[in-house]
Amino acid sequence: MMNHLLALGDFSKEALRGLIDRALALKAERRQGVRHQQLAGRTICLLFEKPSTRTRVSFEAAMYSLGGQVIFMSAKESQLGRGEPLKDTARVLSRYVDAIVVRTFGQEVVEELARYATVPVINALTDLHHPCQVLSDLMTVLECKGTLEKARTVWIGDGNNMANSWIEAASVFGFPLSLACPEPFEPNTTILERARSRSPLPIEVLRDPAEAIRGAEVINVDVWASMGQEAEQEERLAVFRDYQLDATLLAKADPKAIVLHCLPAHRGEEISEDVLEGPQSVVFDQAENKMHIHAAILEQFITGSLVQQG
Ligand code: CP
Ligand code: NVA
């Protein structure tokens, strides 16, 4: 069976840990100047329907760093934008490239592509999940905290794609996760219930960010209006006003807590300037790790060396 990376909940702890450990090894080797060629002669297609800075460039840099080639295609400039079916697109692209990396709106788009593709389909963000991002976030947690099972983790803000992928990560690795989300911006109920049924530790959804952050060692925030929700920006600003991660809120966390933000950040909205630029913020290490985790993903999915499907 073809392996696709559509959501973290589809994988075992061993498989995800294997990707993170490989990314750590590739990062260390890059620092030492080691050159790789294991994807020489291989090509990926990036099929993006939403903007991107980090994910696009880090996937491209990762593929080149392993000796491979990249074709970028904006969905609206392709025949998809003129109504060509996903199932035809998946089968055609599979004849040309060794993996398809997709950023789109509906999760059903990546699922449909995966159903018909004969090469791996990698989810580079949908409205429902951002699995590759959360893998690089977990890598950053492992570097900073030395564990993926114990760090008390909090999510503050919108119950969005990132929150959903963090919930799945908590259920796979078994770390305690609290989310503070205003009504009606809780995470996806189906994802939450499935994760809770698998997780050895509680995944709790609270209203009060001060209650959720108490004692937290890993703190996550993200924009209040995701891509595609621009029309709701003003309304959301009002609802989320009390959810900003500022120095007062951060002071309630563990003193050694790290602050994660997948970026881009809206300073003065979900995070204050001083916290984003402060000593507890690891957002640029987190951004760098995207490239290493993407290299590990491309290597393991394209060569078929993924440790174990869950
Ligand atoms: N974090 C992230 O996915 O950033 P981009 O939207 O710039 O890719
Ligand atoms: N939740 C954000 C993440 C951006 C990387 C969005 O979907 O726009």
Side-chain angles (χ1 to χ4, degrees), residues 4-5 21 26 31 39 41 44 47 58-59 65 77 100 103 110 122 134 146 178 188 190 218 240 247 255 266 268 285:
H4 304 287
L5 202 177
D21 286 343
L26 288 168
R31 296 266 197 275
L39 295 186
I44 59 170
L47 178 58
S58 59
F59 259 112
S65 76
E77 284 153 18
I100 308 169
R103 170 166 285 200
V110 290
I122 313 288
V134 173
S178 301
N188 179 280
T190 309
V218 175
F240 286 99
H266 289 187
D285 295 322

Side-chain angles (χ1 to χ4, degrees), residues 223-267:
V223 291
W224 292 337
S226 286
M227 289 180 277
Q229 297 170 340
E230 289 78 6
E232 300 169 24
Q233 173 78 14
E234 287 309 311
E235 175 205 333
R236 282 169 172 264
L237 276 179
V239 176
F240 286 99
R241 201 177 38 225
D242 297 332
Y243 286 76
Q244 182 185 98
L245 180 64
D246 59 12
T248 307
L249 188 58
L250 181 59
K252 298 183 196 304
D254 183 275
K256 292 196 183 124
I258 55 167
V259 173
L260 297 171
H261 190 315
C262 66
L263 304 176
H266 289 187
R267 291 164 165 85

